[in-house]
Amino acid sequence: MKIGVFGGTFNPVHNGHIRLLECASSAIDFDKILVIPDFIPPHKSNDGVVDGIHRLNMCKLAFSHIKNVEVSDLELKRQGKSYTIDTLNNLKTIYPNDELWLIVGGDSLLNFKQWYKYDEILEKASIVTMARDLSKKTELNEMSIDLSKNKNYIVILDELPIEASSTEYRQGIKNLIPKEVENYISECIQSILNQTYQDFELICVNDGSADKSAEILESFKLKDSRISVVTQKNKGVSSARNRGVALAKGEYIAFIDSDDKIDL
Protein backbone atom coordinates (compact mmCIF):
# COMPACT_ATOMS: atom_id res chain seq x y z
CA MET A 1 0.00 0.00 0.00
CA LYS A 2 0.90 3.64 -0.46
CA ILE A 3 0.19 5.46 2.81
CA GLY A 4 0.13 9.22 3.31
CA VAL A 5 1.07 10.54 6.76
CA PHE A 6 -0.18 14.04 7.64
CA GLY A 7 0.87 15.12 11.12
CA GLY A 8 0.59 18.40 12.95
CA THR A 9 -0.80 20.20 15.94
CA PHE A 10 -3.96 21.28 14.07
CA ASN A 11 -4.53 24.08 16.56
CA PRO A 12 -6.87 24.79 14.93
CA VAL A 13 -7.39 22.65 11.85
CA HIS A 14 -8.13 25.09 9.02
CA ASN A 15 -8.76 25.30 5.30
CA GLY A 16 -5.04 25.56 4.56
CA HIS A 17 -4.58 22.06 6.00
CA ILE A 18 -7.57 20.83 4.02
CA ARG A 19 -6.28 22.35 0.80
CA LEU A 20 -2.89 20.68 1.19
CA LEU A 21 -4.40 17.27 1.88
CA GLU A 22 -6.90 17.56 -0.96
CA CYS A 23 -4.11 18.40 -3.41
CA ALA A 24 -1.83 15.65 -2.13
CA SER A 25 -4.66 13.14 -2.36
CA SER A 26 -5.43 14.16 -5.94
CA ALA A 27 -1.80 14.05 -7.05
CA ILE A 28 -0.83 10.75 -5.45
CA ASP A 29 -2.97 7.63 -5.43
CA PHE A 30 -2.88 6.88 -1.71
CA ASP A 31 -4.47 3.68 -0.45
CA LYS A 32 -4.69 5.23 3.01
CA ILE A 33 -4.04 8.68 4.50
CA LEU A 34 -3.35 8.92 8.22
CA VAL A 35 -4.02 12.30 9.83
CA ILE A 36 -2.15 12.32 13.15
CA PRO A 37 -2.59 15.18 15.66
CA ASP A 38 0.47 15.48 17.88
CA PHE A 39 0.58 15.34 21.68
CA ILE A 40 3.33 17.91 22.27
CA PRO A 41 4.72 19.72 19.20
CA PRO A 42 8.52 19.24 19.22
CA HIS A 43 9.42 22.57 17.61
CA LYS A 44 6.81 24.86 19.18
CA SER A 45 5.58 25.99 22.57
CA ASN A 46 2.72 23.91 23.97
CA ASP A 47 1.07 27.05 25.38
CA GLY A 48 -2.46 27.54 24.13
CA VAL A 49 -2.72 24.10 22.53
CA VAL A 50 -6.27 22.74 22.78
CA ASP A 51 -6.73 19.35 24.44
CA GLY A 52 -5.84 16.48 22.10
CA ILE A 53 -9.25 14.79 22.06
CA HIS A 54 -10.85 17.96 20.72
CA ARG A 55 -8.23 18.44 18.01
CA LEU A 56 -8.66 14.77 17.07
CA ASN A 57 -12.43 15.09 16.72
CA MET A 58 -12.20 18.37 14.82
CA CYS A 59 -9.83 16.69 12.36
CA LYS A 60 -12.37 13.91 11.87
CA LEU A 61 -14.95 16.53 10.93
CA ALA A 62 -12.65 18.62 8.75
CA PHE A 63 -11.16 15.79 6.66
CA SER A 64 -14.18 13.49 6.45
CA HIS A 65 -14.81 14.30 2.77
CA ILE A 66 -11.33 13.22 1.59
CA LYS A 67 -11.04 9.69 0.25
CA ASN A 68 -9.26 7.05 2.36
CA VAL A 69 -8.56 9.38 5.31
CA GLU A 70 -8.25 7.95 8.82
CA VAL A 71 -7.65 10.22 11.82
CA SER A 72 -5.27 8.47 14.20
CA ASP A 73 -4.61 8.96 17.92
CA LEU A 74 -1.18 7.31 17.64
CA GLU A 75 0.80 10.30 18.95
CA LEU A 76 -1.81 11.27 21.53
CA LYS A 77 -1.62 7.78 23.02
CA ARG A 78 2.18 7.71 22.88
CA GLN A 79 2.34 11.10 24.69
CA GLY A 80 5.60 12.98 25.15
CA LYS A 81 7.08 15.08 22.35
CA SER A 82 5.73 13.96 18.99
CA TYR A 83 8.82 13.40 16.90
CA THR A 84 8.10 12.39 13.30
CA ILE A 85 10.84 9.77 13.27
CA ASP A 86 9.19 7.99 16.22
CA THR A 87 5.85 8.00 14.43
CA LEU A 88 7.38 6.61 11.23
CA ASN A 89 9.11 3.88 13.23
CA ASN A 90 5.78 2.99 14.84
CA LEU A 91 4.08 2.90 11.44
CA LYS A 92 6.84 0.74 9.97
CA THR A 93 6.08 -1.91 12.59
CA ILE A 94 2.39 -1.79 11.62
CA TYR A 95 2.95 -1.53 7.86
CA PRO A 96 6.39 -3.16 7.32
CA ASN A 97 6.00 -3.69 3.57
CA ASP A 98 4.18 -0.50 2.66
CA GLU A 99 5.33 2.80 1.19
CA LEU A 100 5.11 5.83 3.51
CA TRP A 101 4.68 9.39 2.23
CA LEU A 102 5.03 12.34 4.60
CA ILE A 103 2.70 15.23 3.74
CA VAL A 104 4.12 18.57 4.94
CA GLY A 105 3.61 22.27 4.32
CA GLY A 106 6.14 24.21 2.31
CA ASP A 107 7.48 26.13 5.31
CA SER A 108 8.13 22.85 7.09
CA LEU A 109 10.18 21.54 4.18
CA LEU A 110 12.29 24.70 4.09
CA ASN A 111 13.16 24.08 7.76
CA PHE A 112 13.42 20.32 7.40
CA LYS A 113 17.08 20.09 8.40
CA GLN A 114 16.07 21.36 11.85
CA TRP A 115 13.81 18.35 12.37
CA TYR A 116 14.95 15.70 14.83
CA LYS A 117 16.82 12.96 12.90
CA TYR A 118 15.68 14.43 9.59
CA ASP A 119 18.09 12.22 7.65
CA GLU A 120 16.47 9.09 9.09
CA ILE A 121 13.05 10.45 8.20
CA LEU A 122 14.15 10.76 4.58
CA GLU A 123 15.29 7.14 4.60
CA LYS A 124 11.89 5.93 5.76
CA ALA A 125 9.47 8.12 3.81
CA SER A 126 9.03 10.12 0.65
CA ILE A 127 7.67 13.66 0.96
CA VAL A 128 4.92 15.59 -0.77
CA THR A 129 4.57 19.34 -0.17
CA MET A 130 3.08 22.55 -1.53
CA ALA A 131 4.29 26.15 -1.24
CA ARG A 132 2.23 28.29 1.15
CA ASP A 133 3.62 31.33 -0.62
CA LEU A 134 4.23 30.96 -4.37
CA SER A 135 7.21 33.29 -4.13
CA LYS A 136 9.01 30.51 -2.22
CA LYS A 137 8.62 27.94 -4.98
CA THR A 138 12.24 28.37 -6.09
CA GLU A 139 13.50 27.87 -2.53
CA LEU A 140 11.41 24.73 -2.24
CA ASN A 141 12.85 23.33 -5.45
CA GLU A 142 16.39 23.99 -4.25
CA MET A 143 15.71 22.39 -0.88
CA SER A 144 14.11 19.34 -2.48
CA ILE A 145 17.19 18.82 -4.68
CA ASP A 146 19.40 19.02 -1.59
CA LEU A 147 17.25 16.64 0.48
CA SER A 148 16.51 14.15 -2.30
CA LYS A 149 20.10 12.91 -2.25
CA ASN A 150 18.51 10.21 -0.09
CA LYS A 151 16.76 7.33 -1.84
CA ASN A 152 13.17 8.58 -1.45
CA TYR A 153 11.23 11.09 -3.52
CA ILE A 154 10.27 14.69 -2.78
CA VAL A 155 7.26 15.91 -4.75
CA ILE A 156 6.33 19.61 -4.88
CA LEU A 157 2.72 20.08 -5.93
CA ASP A 158 2.04 22.68 -8.59
CA GLU A 159 -1.09 24.07 -6.95
CA LEU A 160 -2.30 27.42 -5.68
CA PRO A 161 -2.17 27.45 -1.86
CA ILE A 162 -4.27 29.16 0.77
CA GLU A 163 -1.67 31.51 2.18
CA ALA A 164 -2.15 31.37 5.93
CA SER A 165 -0.77 29.67 9.02
CA SER A 166 -2.41 28.32 12.18
CA THR A 167 -1.05 31.33 14.08
CA GLU A 168 -2.94 33.68 11.75
CA TYR A 169 -6.17 31.77 12.27
CA ARG A 170 -5.76 31.82 16.06
CA GLN A 171 -5.11 35.57 16.00
CA GLY A 172 -8.19 36.17 13.88
CA ILE A 173 -6.22 37.39 10.88
CA LYS A 174 -7.82 34.69 8.74
CA ASN A 175 -11.40 33.46 9.08
CA LEU A 176 -11.20 30.16 7.24
CA ILE A 177 -12.10 27.59 9.89
CA PRO A 178 -14.19 24.79 8.31
CA LYS A 179 -17.91 25.09 9.00
CA GLU A 180 -17.98 21.50 10.27
CA VAL A 181 -15.55 22.47 13.04
CA GLU A 182 -17.55 25.57 13.99
CA ASN A 183 -20.67 23.38 14.31
CA TYR A 184 -18.87 21.14 16.79
CA ILE A 185 -19.67 23.19 19.90
CA SER A 186 -23.18 24.12 18.73
CA GLU A 187 -24.23 20.49 18.42
CA CYS A 188 -22.99 19.79 21.95
CA ILE A 189 -24.93 22.66 23.53
CA GLN A 190 -28.07 21.99 21.53
CA SER A 191 -28.10 18.37 22.67
CA ILE A 192 -28.13 19.59 26.30
CA LEU A 193 -30.92 22.10 25.70
CA ASN A 194 -33.02 19.41 24.00
CA GLN A 195 -33.34 17.39 27.22
CA THR A 196 -36.79 16.89 28.71
CA TYR A 197 -35.39 17.84 32.15
CA GLN A 198 -35.21 21.62 32.10
CA ASP A 199 -34.25 22.70 35.63
CA PHE A 200 -30.48 23.10 35.22
CA GLU A 201 -27.77 25.70 34.74
CA LEU A 202 -25.25 25.36 31.92
CA ILE A 203 -21.86 26.91 32.66
CA CYS A 204 -19.69 27.17 29.55
CA VAL A 205 -15.98 27.77 30.17
CA ASN A 206 -14.18 29.03 27.09
CA ASP A 207 -10.60 27.92 27.80
CA GLY A 208 -8.77 30.34 25.52
CA SER A 209 -10.31 29.16 22.25
CA ALA A 210 -9.19 31.33 19.36
CA ASP A 211 -11.80 30.25 16.83
CA LYS A 212 -15.48 31.30 16.92
CA SER A 213 -16.29 29.32 20.08
CA ALA A 214 -16.74 32.46 22.19
CA GLU A 215 -19.18 33.97 19.66
CA ILE A 216 -21.16 30.73 19.47
CA LEU A 217 -21.39 30.47 23.26
CA GLU A 218 -22.51 34.08 23.60
CA SER A 219 -25.21 33.57 20.96
CA PHE A 220 -26.64 30.65 22.96
CA LYS A 221 -26.44 32.70 26.16
CA LEU A 222 -28.59 35.44 24.63
CA LYS A 223 -31.28 32.91 23.79
CA ASP A 224 -31.37 31.00 27.08
CA SER A 225 -31.09 32.47 30.59
CA ARG A 226 -29.86 29.15 32.02
CA ILE A 227 -26.57 29.55 30.16
CA SER A 228 -23.59 31.48 31.53
CA VAL A 229 -20.27 31.94 29.74
CA VAL A 230 -16.84 32.37 31.30
CA THR A 231 -13.72 33.07 29.25
CA GLN A 232 -10.17 32.49 30.50
CA LYS A 233 -6.69 32.12 29.04
CA ASN A 234 -5.90 28.56 27.98
CA LYS A 235 -5.07 26.61 31.14
CA GLY A 236 -6.23 23.12 30.23
CA VAL A 237 -9.17 20.86 31.03
CA SER A 238 -8.61 20.63 34.81
CA SER A 239 -8.51 24.40 35.26
CA ALA A 240 -11.62 24.87 33.12
CA ARG A 241 -13.56 22.29 35.12
CA ASN A 242 -12.45 23.77 38.45
CA ARG A 243 -13.61 27.19 37.26
CA GLY A 244 -17.01 25.75 36.43
CA VAL A 245 -17.30 23.97 39.78
CA ALA A 246 -16.51 27.21 41.62
CA LEU A 247 -19.40 28.94 39.83
CA ALA A 248 -21.95 26.13 40.05
CA LYS A 249 -25.01 26.62 42.27
CA GLY A 250 -26.74 23.29 41.78
CA GLU A 251 -26.76 20.26 44.05
CA TYR A 252 -25.35 17.95 41.38
CA ILE A 253 -22.61 18.61 38.82
CA ALA A 254 -21.88 16.87 35.51
CA PHE A 255 -18.98 17.58 33.16
CA ILE A 256 -19.60 17.62 29.40
CA ASP A 257 -16.79 18.15 26.92
CA SER A 258 -17.40 20.01 23.68
CA ASP A 259 -17.08 16.80 21.66
CA ASP A 260 -19.86 15.13 23.67
CA LYS A 261 -23.56 14.96 22.88
CA ILE A 262 -26.40 13.92 25.16
CA ASP A 263 -29.06 11.60 23.75
CA LEU A 264 -32.70 12.20 24.57
Side-chain angles (χ1 to χ4, degrees):
M1 287 196 303
K2 187 175 290 187
I3 301 173
V5 181
F6 189 30
T9 309
F10 302 113
N11 188 55
V13 58
H14 56 67
N15 286 349
H17 295 130
I18 295 171
R19 171 69 172 166
L20 173 56
L21 197 56
E22 286 175 340
C23 292
S25 177
S26 296
I28 298 174
D29 189 20
F30 292 119
D31 299 287
K32 184 196 295 282
I33 300 174
L34 298 174
V35 175
I36 309 177
D38 60 26
F39 185 72
I40 297 176
H43 305 299
K44 304 175 184 177
S45 168
N46 203 37
D47 293 342
V49 175
V50 174
D51 189 74
I53 188 63
H54 300 310
R55 292 182 286 116
L56 184 85
N57 285 320
M58 285 189 282
C59 282
K60 289 179 180 178
L61 292 171
F63 298 114
S64 61
H65 65 290
I66 302 177
K67 181 182 176 183
N68 296 328
V69 164
E70 296 179 15
V71 180
S72 168
D73 61 359
L74 174 66
E75 293 185 354
L76 296 177
K77 283 184 173 179
R78 193 174 68 222
Q79 301 192 353
K81 287 195 173 183
S82 300
Y83 290 112
T84 300
I85 186 59
D86 294 336
T87 299
L88 293 178
N89 285 332
N90 289 158
L91 293 175
K92 277 297 184 182
T93 63
I94 302 170
Y95 307 104
N97 301 315
D98 297 310
E99 185 179 333
L100 299 181
W101 282 73
L102 194 61
I103 302 167
V104 302
D107 288 354
S108 294
L109 187 70
L110 291 177
N111 296 309
F112 201 76
K113 287 190 175 182
Q114 298 176 23
W115 287 34
Y116 179 63
K117 295 187 177 180
Y118 80 91
D119 49 342
E120 292 185 29
I121 294 174
L122 292 169
E123 292 174 0
K124 295 181 183 296
S126 296
I127 294 177
V128 57
T129 189
M130 180 171 69
R132 181 160 64 89
D133 183 341
L134 290 179
S135 66
K136 295 185 178 180
K137 193 76 178 287
T138 300
E139 281 185 78
L140 273 181
N141 286 328
E142 292 173 352
M143 180 59 73
S144 69
I145 292 171
D146 185 24
L147 294 174
S148 59
K149 295 172 184 176
N150 294 271
K151 63 180 181 180
N152 286 316
Y153 299 104
I154 296 177
V155 174
I156 301 175
L157 301 176
D158 190 20
E159 302 284 349
L160 290 174
I162 293 176
E163 298 183 8
S165 66
S166 290
T167 300
E168 290 173 315
Y169 291 102
R170 289 195 299 274
Q171 294 174 346
I173 298 171
K174 298 287 183 177
N175 183 23
L176 291 171
I177 306 298
K179 191 65 178 177
E180 294 85 355
V181 174
E182 288 185 2
N183 290 340
Y184 188 71
I185 183 68
S186 298
E187 292 174 3
C188 171
I189 294 176
Q190 195 60 57
S191 75
I192 299 170
L193 299 180
N194 288 343
Q195 301 305 300
T196 54
Y197 184 79
Q198 295 292 303
D199 185 18
F200 62 84
E201 61 176 343
L202 177 57
I203 302 170
C204 302
V205 180
N206 177 29
D207 189 39
S209 297
D211 52 19
K212 289 189 174 181
S213 294
E215 293 178 29
I216 294 170
L217 294 175
E218 290 293 339
S219 69
F220 274 101
K221 176 184 174 181
L222 292 174
K223 299 174 186 175
D224 197 311
S225 61
R226 295 170 298 174
I227 299 176
S228 59
V229 178
V230 179
T231 296
Q232 64 180 28
K233 291 184 178 180
N234 180 262
K235 297 180 181 179
V237 175
S238 296
S239 173
R241 289 185 173 183
N242 288 337
R243 185 76 181 275
V245 169
L247 296 171
K249 300 173 183 176
E251 184 176 357
Y252 303 102
I253 296 174
F255 296 113
I256 301 173
D257 291 327
S258 59
D259 59 320
D260 294 332
K261 294 179 188 177
I262 299 179
D263 294 328
L264 290 173

